[in-house]
Amino acid sequence: MVAALSLRSTRSTHDPKLMVRLATAAREIRTLSIAAIYHAGSGHPGGALSCADLLAALYGAEMNIWPKRLDDPDRDRFVLSKGHAAPALYAAGAHFGFCKADDALTLRKLGSPFQGHPHVADLPWVETSTGSLGQGFSVAPGMAMVLRLKKSQARVYAVLGDGELQEGEVWEAAMCAAHHGVDNLVAIIDYNKLQSDDTNASIMGLEPLNAKFSAFGWNVIEIDGHDLNAIVVALEEAFEVSGKPSLLIAHTLKGKGLPFMERIPQWHGSVKLTRQQAEDALKALGCSTKDVARWLDVRN
């Protein structure tokens, strides 16, 4: 575990040591996500894996959030609007010191605070409950506007799924944020182009996504959502924008890091990992035989 890090005052986005730290964080987020889903007997691995690099960059290089100062009114806020990717959020929390890794392995267990979707009453570092798609993003502009009214320098970051954009309230929130010039809001779309049943394009097409948000009045940046340096640079650019909210369209792969999951809609969610699948996944992520046993043989 490492402490959450803010680089706002000492920006060095091309520092190779930072990139190594973020890559390590992303790998560990993927590792713990898979282990937790295995122990739970169900979960959403595809979307947890696709957003791991985004969470690593946010918690490891962008956001001012500290495990020992969760009640600081000037902390940044993070909203995982695609709440079904909760295993990745819990894994990020474990890596950056907000919770213990073994506790995160109790995902979806009766009585555990680490439920299938984040719940604000269960974990002190979760800002709002999410799960019903679109609702998390609807809350984020409100948070950002309140912070502005309080003259706070804090910012709000929200990660959305792409299938989530088919919800009408996403576009109401997008219109509201632009109308009010909420420039302390940054939304990031985990654009893996797959949802639970098929491709986005087959179910309800989203393109031209950049043009749509631009027309709504957003500052739009498109990036490779697995290029950590590109993510950090884009977040820096968004930080400098005034008068309008920013959107990062992060092109990602569903199931990123696991060849047998990548680009396959069936790995979206409601799946049970067999022991062999979990072992294969952890080995593909670079775990040793000892590491595999540590993650899969633990009792919770």
Short mmCIF file of all heavy atoms in Angstrom, two decimals, residues 35-95:
data_model
loop_
_atom_site.label_atom_id
_atom_site.label_comp_id
_atom_site.label_asym_id
_atom_site.label_seq_id
_atom_site.Cartn_x
_atom_site.Cartn_y
_atom_site.Cartn_z
N ALA A 35 -9.28 -11.21 -7.78
CA ALA A 35 -9.34 -12.05 -6.58
C ALA A 35 -10.65 -11.84 -5.83
O ALA A 35 -11.29 -12.81 -5.38
CB ALA A 35 -8.15 -11.74 -5.67
N ALA A 36 -11.09 -10.60 -5.71
CA ALA A 36 -12.33 -10.31 -5.00
C ALA A 36 -13.53 -10.90 -5.72
O ALA A 36 -14.44 -11.47 -5.08
CB ALA A 36 -12.50 -8.80 -4.83
N ILE A 37 -13.56 -10.78 -7.03
CA ILE A 37 -14.67 -11.34 -7.81
C ILE A 37 -14.69 -12.86 -7.71
O ILE A 37 -15.75 -13.49 -7.62
CB ILE A 37 -14.59 -10.86 -9.28
CG1 ILE A 37 -14.88 -9.36 -9.34
CG2 ILE A 37 -15.57 -11.63 -10.16
CD1 ILE A 37 -14.57 -8.73 -10.69
N TYR A 38 -13.51 -13.46 -7.69
CA TYR A 38 -13.43 -14.92 -7.52
C TYR A 38 -14.04 -15.33 -6.18
O TYR A 38 -14.87 -16.26 -6.12
CB TYR A 38 -11.98 -15.37 -7.60
CG TYR A 38 -11.76 -16.79 -7.12
CD1 TYR A 38 -12.18 -17.88 -7.88
CD2 TYR A 38 -11.17 -17.03 -5.88
CE1 TYR A 38 -12.00 -19.18 -7.41
CE2 TYR A 38 -10.98 -18.32 -5.41
CZ TYR A 38 -11.39 -19.40 -6.18
OH TYR A 38 -11.23 -20.68 -5.72
N HIS A 39 -13.65 -14.66 -5.12
CA HIS A 39 -14.17 -15.02 -3.78
C HIS A 39 -15.66 -14.72 -3.65
O HIS A 39 -16.38 -15.44 -2.95
CB HIS A 39 -13.38 -14.29 -2.70
CG HIS A 39 -12.01 -14.82 -2.49
ND1 HIS A 39 -11.76 -16.07 -1.94
CD2 HIS A 39 -10.80 -14.29 -2.78
CE1 HIS A 39 -10.45 -16.28 -1.88
NE2 HIS A 39 -9.84 -15.21 -2.38
N ALA A 40 -16.12 -13.69 -4.34
CA ALA A 40 -17.53 -13.34 -4.26
C ALA A 40 -18.42 -14.35 -4.98
O ALA A 40 -19.59 -14.53 -4.63
CB ALA A 40 -17.75 -11.95 -4.85
N GLY A 41 -17.88 -14.98 -6.00
CA GLY A 41 -18.67 -15.91 -6.79
C GLY A 41 -19.48 -15.22 -7.87
O GLY A 41 -20.24 -15.86 -8.59
N SER A 42 -19.32 -13.91 -7.98
CA SER A 42 -19.99 -13.15 -9.02
C SER A 42 -19.39 -11.75 -9.06
O SER A 42 -18.71 -11.34 -8.12
CB SER A 42 -21.51 -13.05 -8.78
OG SER A 42 -21.77 -12.32 -7.60
N GLY A 43 -19.66 -11.04 -10.14
CA GLY A 43 -19.13 -9.69 -10.24
C GLY A 43 -18.98 -9.25 -11.67
O GLY A 43 -19.44 -9.92 -12.60
N HIS A 44 -18.33 -8.11 -11.87
CA HIS A 44 -18.20 -7.49 -13.18
C HIS A 44 -16.72 -7.29 -13.51
O HIS A 44 -16.18 -6.19 -13.35
CB HIS A 44 -18.93 -6.14 -13.21
CG HIS A 44 -20.41 -6.25 -13.04
ND1 HIS A 44 -20.99 -6.49 -11.81
CD2 HIS A 44 -21.42 -6.14 -13.93
CE1 HIS A 44 -22.31 -6.53 -11.96
NE2 HIS A 44 -22.60 -6.32 -13.23
N PRO A 45 -16.06 -8.32 -13.99
CA PRO A 45 -14.62 -8.19 -14.23
C PRO A 45 -14.25 -7.31 -15.41
O PRO A 45 -13.28 -6.56 -15.35
CB PRO A 45 -14.17 -9.64 -14.46
CG PRO A 45 -15.39 -10.36 -14.94
CD PRO A 45 -16.54 -9.70 -14.21
N GLY A 46 -15.01 -7.39 -16.51
CA GLY A 46 -14.63 -6.67 -17.72
C GLY A 46 -14.45 -5.18 -17.52
O GLY A 46 -13.42 -4.60 -17.88
N GLY A 47 -15.44 -4.54 -16.92
CA GLY A 47 -15.40 -3.11 -16.70
C GLY A 47 -14.49 -2.69 -15.56
O GLY A 47 -14.02 -1.55 -15.52
N ALA A 48 -14.24 -3.60 -14.61
CA ALA A 48 -13.28 -3.29 -13.54
C ALA A 48 -11.87 -3.22 -14.12
O ALA A 48 -11.07 -2.34 -13.77
CB ALA A 48 -13.37 -4.33 -12.44
N LEU A 49 -11.57 -4.15 -15.02
CA LEU A 49 -10.24 -4.18 -15.63
C LEU A 49 -10.01 -3.01 -16.57
O LEU A 49 -8.91 -2.47 -16.66
CB LEU A 49 -10.04 -5.50 -16.37
CG LEU A 49 -10.06 -6.77 -15.51
CD1 LEU A 49 -10.07 -8.01 -16.39
CD2 LEU A 49 -8.87 -6.80 -14.57
N SER A 50 -11.06 -2.59 -17.28
CA SER A 50 -10.88 -1.54 -18.27
C SER A 50 -10.62 -0.17 -17.64
O SER A 50 -10.00 0.70 -18.25
CB SER A 50 -12.09 -1.46 -19.21
OG SER A 50 -13.27 -1.10 -18.53
N CYS A 51 -11.08 0.04 -16.41
CA CYS A 51 -10.90 1.36 -15.78
C CYS A 51 -9.75 1.40 -14.78
O CYS A 51 -9.55 2.42 -14.12
CB CYS A 51 -12.19 1.82 -15.11
SG CYS A 51 -12.69 0.89 -13.64
N ALA A 52 -8.98 0.34 -14.67
CA ALA A 52 -7.91 0.28 -13.66
C ALA A 52 -6.86 1.37 -13.86
O ALA A 52 -6.39 1.98 -12.89
CB ALA A 52 -7.25 -1.10 -13.68
N ASP A 53 -6.47 1.62 -15.10
CA ASP A 53 -5.45 2.65 -15.35
C ASP A 53 -5.99 4.04 -15.00
O ASP A 53 -5.25 4.90 -14.50
CB ASP A 53 -5.00 2.60 -16.81
CG ASP A 53 -4.38 1.26 -17.16
OD1 ASP A 53 -3.32 0.93 -16.61
OD2 ASP A 53 -4.97 0.53 -17.98
N LEU A 54 -7.27 4.26 -15.28
CA LEU A 54 -7.88 5.54 -14.96
C LEU A 54 -7.87 5.79 -13.45
O LEU A 54 -7.54 6.88 -12.98
CB LEU A 54 -9.31 5.59 -15.49
CG LEU A 54 -9.48 5.38 -17.00
CD1 LEU A 54 -10.95 5.27 -17.37
CD2 LEU A 54 -8.81 6.51 -17.78
N LEU A 55 -8.23 4.77 -12.69
CA LEU A 55 -8.25 4.91 -11.23
C LEU A 55 -6.84 5.08 -10.67
O LEU A 55 -6.62 5.86 -9.73
CB LEU A 55 -8.92 3.70 -10.59
CG LEU A 55 -10.41 3.51 -10.90
CD1 LEU A 55 -10.95 2.28 -10.20
CD2 LEU A 55 -11.21 4.73 -10.49
N ALA A 56 -5.88 4.36 -11.25
CA ALA A 56 -4.50 4.50 -10.80
C ALA A 56 -4.01 5.93 -10.99
O ALA A 56 -3.36 6.50 -10.10
CB ALA A 56 -3.61 3.52 -11.56
N ALA A 57 -4.31 6.51 -12.15
CA ALA A 57 -3.87 7.88 -12.42
C ALA A 57 -4.59 8.90 -11.55
O ALA A 57 -3.99 9.86 -11.06
CB ALA A 57 -4.08 8.21 -13.90
N LEU A 58 -5.89 8.70 -11.33
CA LEU A 58 -6.65 9.63 -10.51
C LEU A 58 -6.16 9.62 -9.07
O LEU A 58 -5.86 10.68 -8.49
CB LEU A 58 -8.14 9.29 -10.57
CG LEU A 58 -8.87 9.69 -11.84
CD1 LEU A 58 -10.23 9.02 -11.92
CD2 LEU A 58 -9.03 11.22 -11.91
N TYR A 59 -6.08 8.44 -8.47
CA TYR A 59 -5.68 8.36 -7.07
C TYR A 59 -4.18 8.54 -6.88
O TYR A 59 -3.72 9.02 -5.84
CB TYR A 59 -6.11 7.01 -6.47
CG TYR A 59 -7.56 6.99 -6.03
CD1 TYR A 59 -8.56 6.52 -6.88
CD2 TYR A 59 -7.92 7.45 -4.78
CE1 TYR A 59 -9.89 6.51 -6.48
CE2 TYR A 59 -9.25 7.45 -4.36
CZ TYR A 59 -10.23 6.97 -5.22
OH TYR A 59 -11.54 6.97 -4.83
N GLY A 60 -3.40 8.17 -7.88
CA GLY A 60 -1.94 8.21 -7.73
C GLY A 60 -1.27 9.47 -8.20
O GLY A 60 -0.10 9.69 -7.89
N ALA A 61 -1.97 10.30 -8.98
CA ALA A 61 -1.29 11.47 -9.52
C ALA A 61 -2.15 12.72 -9.61
O ALA A 61 -1.63 13.79 -9.87
CB ALA A 61 -0.75 11.15 -10.93
N GLU A 62 -3.45 12.62 -9.43
CA GLU A 62 -4.31 13.78 -9.68
C GLU A 62 -5.06 14.28 -8.45
O GLU A 62 -4.98 15.46 -8.11
CB GLU A 62 -5.31 13.44 -10.79
CG GLU A 62 -6.35 14.51 -11.07
CD GLU A 62 -5.76 15.82 -11.62
OE1 GLU A 62 -4.58 15.80 -12.03
OE2 GLU A 62 -6.48 16.84 -11.63
N MET A 63 -5.79 13.43 -7.79
CA MET A 63 -6.74 13.90 -6.79
C MET A 63 -6.09 14.21 -5.44
O MET A 63 -5.17 13.51 -5.01
CB MET A 63 -7.85 12.87 -6.60
CG MET A 63 -8.69 12.64 -7.83
SD MET A 63 -10.20 11.68 -7.51
CE MET A 63 -9.53 10.12 -6.95
N ASN A 64 -6.59 15.25 -4.83
CA ASN A 64 -6.20 15.58 -3.45
C ASN A 64 -7.18 14.91 -2.50
O ASN A 64 -8.19 15.48 -2.10
CB ASN A 64 -6.23 17.10 -3.24
CG ASN A 64 -5.04 17.79 -3.89
OD1 ASN A 64 -3.94 17.25 -3.88
ND2 ASN A 64 -5.25 18.96 -4.44
N ILE A 65 -6.88 13.67 -2.18
CA ILE A 65 -7.69 12.88 -1.24
C ILE A 65 -6.70 12.13 -0.35
O ILE A 65 -5.77 11.51 -0.86
CB ILE A 65 -8.61 11.87 -1.94
CG1 ILE A 65 -9.55 12.58 -2.92
CG2 ILE A 65 -9.43 11.08 -0.93
CD1 ILE A 65 -10.43 11.63 -3.72
N TRP A 66 -6.91 12.19 0.96
CA TRP A 66 -5.97 11.60 1.88
C TRP A 66 -6.69 10.66 2.85
O TRP A 66 -7.68 11.03 3.47
CB TRP A 66 -5.27 12.70 2.68
CG TRP A 66 -4.76 13.80 1.79
CD1 TRP A 66 -3.56 13.82 1.14
CD2 TRP A 66 -5.43 15.02 1.47
NE1 TRP A 66 -3.44 15.00 0.43
CE2 TRP A 66 -4.57 15.75 0.60
CE3 TRP A 66 -6.66 15.58 1.80
CZ2 TRP A 66 -4.90 17.00 0.08
CZ3 TRP A 66 -6.99 16.81 1.28
CH2 TRP A 66 -6.12 17.50 0.44
N PRO A 67 -6.19 9.43 3.02
CA PRO A 67 -6.86 8.46 3.89
C PRO A 67 -7.08 8.95 5.32
O PRO A 67 -8.08 8.61 5.94
CB PRO A 67 -5.89 7.26 3.87
CG PRO A 67 -5.17 7.38 2.57
CD PRO A 67 -5.01 8.85 2.33
N LYS A 68 -6.18 9.78 5.84
CA LYS A 68 -6.30 10.23 7.22
C LYS A 68 -7.02 11.57 7.35
O LYS A 68 -7.14 12.12 8.45
CB LYS A 68 -4.90 10.33 7.85
CG LYS A 68 -4.23 8.96 8.01
CD LYS A 68 -2.88 9.08 8.71
CE LYS A 68 -2.24 7.71 8.88
NZ LYS A 68 -0.92 7.80 9.56
N ARG A 69 -7.50 12.11 6.20
CA ARG A 69 -8.21 13.40 6.26
C ARG A 69 -9.48 13.34 5.41
O ARG A 69 -9.74 14.19 4.58
CB ARG A 69 -7.28 14.52 5.76
CG ARG A 69 -6.10 14.76 6.69
CD ARG A 69 -5.07 15.70 6.05
NE ARG A 69 -5.64 16.99 5.71
CZ ARG A 69 -4.97 17.92 5.03
NH1 ARG A 69 -3.72 17.67 4.61
NH2 ARG A 69 -5.53 19.08 4.74
N LEU A 70 -10.25 12.31 5.66
CA LEU A 70 -11.45 12.10 4.85
C LEU A 70 -12.52 13.15 5.10
O LEU A 70 -13.43 13.31 4.28
CB LEU A 70 -12.02 10.70 5.12
CG LEU A 70 -11.14 9.52 4.66
CD1 LEU A 70 -11.76 8.21 5.10
CD2 LEU A 70 -10.93 9.55 3.16
N ASP A 71 -12.43 13.84 6.24
CA ASP A 71 -13.43 14.86 6.54
C ASP A 71 -12.96 16.26 6.15
O ASP A 71 -13.62 17.25 6.46
CB ASP A 71 -13.79 14.83 8.03
CG ASP A 71 -12.57 15.04 8.94
OD1 ASP A 71 -11.43 15.03 8.43
OD2 ASP A 71 -12.77 15.23 10.15
N ASP A 72 -11.84 16.36 5.46
CA ASP A 72 -11.34 17.66 5.01
C ASP A 72 -12.31 18.22 3.97
O ASP A 72 -12.53 17.62 2.92
CB ASP A 72 -9.95 17.49 4.39
CG ASP A 72 -9.28 18.83 4.11
OD1 ASP A 72 -9.98 19.78 3.71
OD2 ASP A 72 -8.05 18.92 4.26
N PRO A 73 -12.92 19.38 4.23
CA PRO A 73 -13.91 19.91 3.28
C PRO A 73 -13.30 20.28 1.93
O PRO A 73 -14.02 20.38 0.93
CB PRO A 73 -14.44 21.16 4.00
CG PRO A 73 -13.37 21.55 4.95
CD PRO A 73 -12.73 20.26 5.39
N ASP A 74 -11.98 20.45 1.87
CA ASP A 74 -11.33 20.82 0.62
C ASP A 74 -10.71 19.62 -0.11
O ASP A 74 -9.92 19.80 -1.03
CB ASP A 74 -10.27 21.88 0.88
CG ASP A 74 -10.88 23.21 1.28
OD1 ASP A 74 -11.93 23.58 0.70
OD2 ASP A 74 -10.33 23.87 2.17
N ARG A 75 -11.10 18.42 0.30
CA ARG A 75 -10.63 17.24 -0.44
C ARG A 75 -11.35 17.20 -1.79
O ARG A 75 -12.47 17.70 -1.94
CB ARG A 75 -10.96 15.97 0.34
CG ARG A 75 -12.44 15.63 0.35
CD ARG A 75 -12.80 14.52 1.31
NE ARG A 75 -14.22 14.17 1.23
CZ ARG A 75 -15.19 14.86 1.81
NH1 ARG A 75 -14.91 15.95 2.49
NH2 ARG A 75 -16.46 14.46 1.70
N ASP A 76 -10.71 16.60 -2.78
CA ASP A 76 -11.39 16.33 -4.04
C ASP A 76 -12.41 15.21 -3.82
O ASP A 76 -12.28 14.40 -2.90
CB ASP A 76 -10.40 15.92 -5.12
CG ASP A 76 -9.54 17.08 -5.60
OD1 ASP A 76 -9.95 18.24 -5.40
OD2 ASP A 76 -8.47 16.83 -6.18
N ARG A 77 -13.40 15.17 -4.69
CA ARG A 77 -14.43 14.12 -4.62
C ARG A 77 -14.33 13.21 -5.83
O ARG A 77 -14.08 13.69 -6.95
CB ARG A 77 -15.83 14.73 -4.59
CG ARG A 77 -16.36 15.09 -3.21
CD ARG A 77 -15.64 16.22 -2.56
NE ARG A 77 -16.38 16.74 -1.41
CZ ARG A 77 -15.92 17.68 -0.60
NH1 ARG A 77 -14.72 18.21 -0.80
NH2 ARG A 77 -16.64 18.10 0.42
N PHE A 78 -14.54 11.91 -5.60
CA PHE A 78 -14.55 10.96 -6.71
C PHE A 78 -15.87 10.21 -6.71
O PHE A 78 -16.32 9.72 -5.67
CB PHE A 78 -13.41 9.95 -6.60
CG PHE A 78 -13.48 8.90 -7.68
CD1 PHE A 78 -13.20 9.23 -9.00
CD2 PHE A 78 -13.87 7.60 -7.39
CE1 PHE A 78 -13.30 8.28 -10.00
CE2 PHE A 78 -13.96 6.64 -8.38
CZ PHE A 78 -13.68 6.99 -9.70
N VAL A 79 -16.47 10.11 -7.89
CA VAL A 79 -17.73 9.39 -8.06
C VAL A 79 -17.53 8.31 -9.11
O VAL A 79 -17.22 8.60 -10.27
CB VAL A 79 -18.86 10.34 -8.51
CG1 VAL A 79 -20.14 9.55 -8.78
CG2 VAL A 79 -19.10 11.41 -7.46
N LEU A 80 -17.70 7.06 -8.71
CA LEU A 80 -17.68 5.96 -9.67
C LEU A 80 -19.11 5.76 -10.16
O LEU A 80 -19.88 5.00 -9.59
CB LEU A 80 -17.15 4.67 -9.02
CG LEU A 80 -17.05 3.47 -9.97
CD1 LEU A 80 -15.97 3.70 -11.04
CD2 LEU A 80 -16.76 2.19 -9.19
N SER A 81 -19.47 6.48 -11.21
CA SER A 81 -20.84 6.42 -11.68
C SER A 81 -21.17 5.02 -12.20
O SER A 81 -22.28 4.54 -12.03
CB SER A 81 -21.09 7.47 -12.76
OG SER A 81 -22.46 7.64 -13.00
N LYS A 82 -20.21 4.37 -12.85
CA LYS A 82 -20.40 2.98 -13.28
C LYS A 82 -20.14 2.09 -12.06
O LYS A 82 -19.11 1.43 -11.93
CB LYS A 82 -19.50 2.62 -14.46
CG LYS A 82 -18.04 2.99 -14.33
CD LYS A 82 -17.20 2.46 -15.49
CE LYS A 82 -16.99 0.98 -15.38
NZ LYS A 82 -16.16 0.41 -16.45
N GLY A 83 -21.12 2.08 -11.15
CA GLY A 83 -20.94 1.46 -9.85
C GLY A 83 -20.65 -0.02 -9.87
O GLY A 83 -20.09 -0.57 -8.91
N HIS A 84 -20.99 -0.70 -10.98
CA HIS A 84 -20.73 -2.14 -11.05
C HIS A 84 -19.23 -2.44 -11.11
O HIS A 84 -18.82 -3.59 -10.92
CB HIS A 84 -21.43 -2.75 -12.26
CG HIS A 84 -21.11 -2.09 -13.56
ND1 HIS A 84 -21.80 -0.99 -14.01
CD2 HIS A 84 -20.19 -2.37 -14.50
CE1 HIS A 84 -21.30 -0.61 -15.18
NE2 HIS A 84 -20.31 -1.42 -15.49
N ALA A 85 -18.39 -1.42 -11.37
CA ALA A 85 -16.94 -1.61 -11.36
C ALA A 85 -16.37 -1.41 -9.96
O ALA A 85 -15.18 -1.15 -9.79
CB ALA A 85 -16.28 -0.65 -12.34
N ALA A 86 -17.21 -1.57 -8.95
CA ALA A 86 -16.79 -1.38 -7.56
C ALA A 86 -15.55 -2.18 -7.17
O ALA A 86 -14.73 -1.68 -6.39
CB ALA A 86 -17.95 -1.74 -6.62
N PRO A 87 -15.35 -3.42 -7.67
CA PRO A 87 -14.12 -4.12 -7.28
C PRO A 87 -12.85 -3.32 -7.58
O PRO A 87 -11.89 -3.35 -6.82
CB PRO A 87 -14.18 -5.41 -8.10
CG PRO A 87 -15.63 -5.65 -8.31
CD PRO A 87 -16.23 -4.28 -8.48
N ALA A 88 -12.85 -2.58 -8.70
CA ALA A 88 -11.68 -1.77 -9.04
C ALA A 88 -11.54 -0.60 -8.08
O ALA A 88 -10.42 -0.22 -7.70
CB ALA A 88 -11.79 -1.27 -10.48
N LEU A 89 -12.66 0.01 -7.68
CA LEU A 89 -12.61 1.10 -6.72
C LEU A 89 -12.07 0.62 -5.38
O LEU A 89 -11.22 1.26 -4.77
CB LEU A 89 -14.00 1.71 -6.54
CG LEU A 89 -14.12 2.80 -5.48
CD1 LEU A 89 -13.23 3.99 -5.83
CD2 LEU A 89 -15.57 3.23 -5.31
N TYR A 90 -12.56 -0.52 -4.92
CA TYR A 90 -12.09 -1.07 -3.64
C TYR A 90 -10.61 -1.43 -3.73
O TYR A 90 -9.85 -1.23 -2.77
CB TYR A 90 -12.90 -2.30 -3.26
CG TYR A 90 -14.40 -2.06 -3.16
CD1 TYR A 90 -15.30 -3.09 -3.40
CD2 TYR A 90 -14.91 -0.81 -2.83
CE1 TYR A 90 -16.67 -2.90 -3.31
CE2 TYR A 90 -16.28 -0.59 -2.75
CZ TYR A 90 -17.16 -1.65 -2.99
OH TYR A 90 -18.52 -1.45 -2.91
N ALA A 91 -10.20 -1.97 -4.88
CA ALA A 91 -8.79 -2.32 -5.05
C ALA A 91 -7.91 -1.08 -5.06
O ALA A 91 -6.82 -1.07 -4.49
CB ALA A 91 -8.61 -3.11 -6.35
N ALA A 92 -8.39 -0.01 -5.70
CA ALA A 92 -7.65 1.26 -5.67
C ALA A 92 -7.58 1.78 -4.25
O ALA A 92 -6.53 2.27 -3.80
CB ALA A 92 -8.33 2.27 -6.59
N GLY A 93 -8.68 1.68 -3.53
CA GLY A 93 -8.69 2.11 -2.14
C GLY A 93 -7.67 1.36 -1.31
O GLY A 93 -6.97 1.93 -0.46
N ALA A 94 -7.56 0.04 -1.55
CA ALA A 94 -6.59 -0.77 -0.81
C ALA A 94 -5.16 -0.36 -1.16
O ALA A 94 -4.31 -0.22 -0.28
CB ALA A 94 -6.82 -2.25 -1.12
N HIS A 95 -4.90 -0.15 -2.43
CA HIS A 95 -3.54 0.20 -2.84
C HIS A 95 -3.11 1.55 -2.28
O HIS A 95 -1.94 1.72 -1.89
CB HIS A 95 -3.44 0.22 -4.37
CG HIS A 95 -2.05 0.53 -4.85
ND1 HIS A 95 -1.05 -0.42 -4.89
CD2 HIS A 95 -1.48 1.69 -5.29
CE1 HIS A 95 0.07 0.13 -5.34
NE2 HIS A 95 -0.17 1.41 -5.58
#
